[in-house]
Amino acid sequence: LGLHIAKICYETLLTYGAAAKVASEKHIVTPAFEHIVEANILLSGIGFESAGLAAAHAIHNGLTALAETHSFYHGEKVAFGALAGLQLTDAPVEESKAVFSFCDDVGLPTTLADIGLGNADRKKLMKAAEKTCALGQSIHHEAGIITPEKVLNAMLAADAIGKARRERARKIK
């Protein structure tokens, strides 16, 4: 049930997210806005513990070890954590592309610079990766053995993909 609810939440976000963001910015209640509110409050709340986001939320928790991220919202760090989690878990390329596109469409972070870590070196980022993998963190719900090195590489991979996508978009303009 949790996986099914999480899938509905994911599909709802991809389908209605961009339109709902525009409605929210204009203070307009639309069906798209209502779908997103429902997905955020009801569906994600029910599906969260049972259906994933283990990496995304653990990476968020790890990122809180770095002062540069403190001015960013929980959801912004979770969004970057989701992108890194896709790299960590070897998600299908099309799924990764869809989530990066969604983040681009609604203005969520897709690079480390977007969460204040544009100048962070590997040593600094390793502090976040180590906190991500601390005992009791949800990352240990992921399949396989997750290590700080794997998390660090996943964050760097997500950052590299985000930068490459941004550069391609800039060249097209």
Side-chain angles (χ1 to χ4, degrees), residues 51-158:
L53 292 180
H57 281 90
I59 291 169
H60 159 275
N61 295 346
L63 290 168
T64 65
L66 306 179
E68 296 89 337
T69 69
H70 291 179
S71 65
F72 294 90
Y73 292 115
H74 168 85
E76 292 172 315
K77 290 178 271 189
V78 170
F80 185 79
L83 296 173
L86 291 168
Q87 305 313 304
L88 179 69
T89 60
D90 195 24
V93 173
E94 290 307 314
E95 182 179 357
S96 184
K97 284 181 183 178
V99 177
F100 269 97
S101 291
F102 171 78
C103 289
D104 286 336
D105 289 348
V106 299
L108 287 170
T110 60
T111 68
L112 288 166
D114 294 341
I115 54 172
L117 297 172
N119 296 320
D121 60 18
R122 290 177 73 93
K123 183 177 179 182
K124 178 170 267 208
L125 293 172
M126 182 55 87
K127 290 178 186 176
E130 288 169 347
K131 185 173 180 178
T132 296
C133 294
L135 189 63
Q137 286 293 329
S138 59
I139 194 110
H140 301 294
H141 294 272
E142 296 290 353
I145 297 171
I146 306 298
T147 65
E149 292 77 18
K150 288 180 181 179
V151 172
L152 173 63
N153 287 327
M155 290 191 300
L156 292 171

Side-chain angles (χ1 to χ4, degrees), residues 22-39:
V22 171
S24 174
E25 289 168 344
K26 299 295 183 185
H27 304 285
I28 304 167
V29 177
T30 65
F33 178 80
E34 289 177 339
H35 289 306
I36 294 301
V37 169
E38 182 180 84

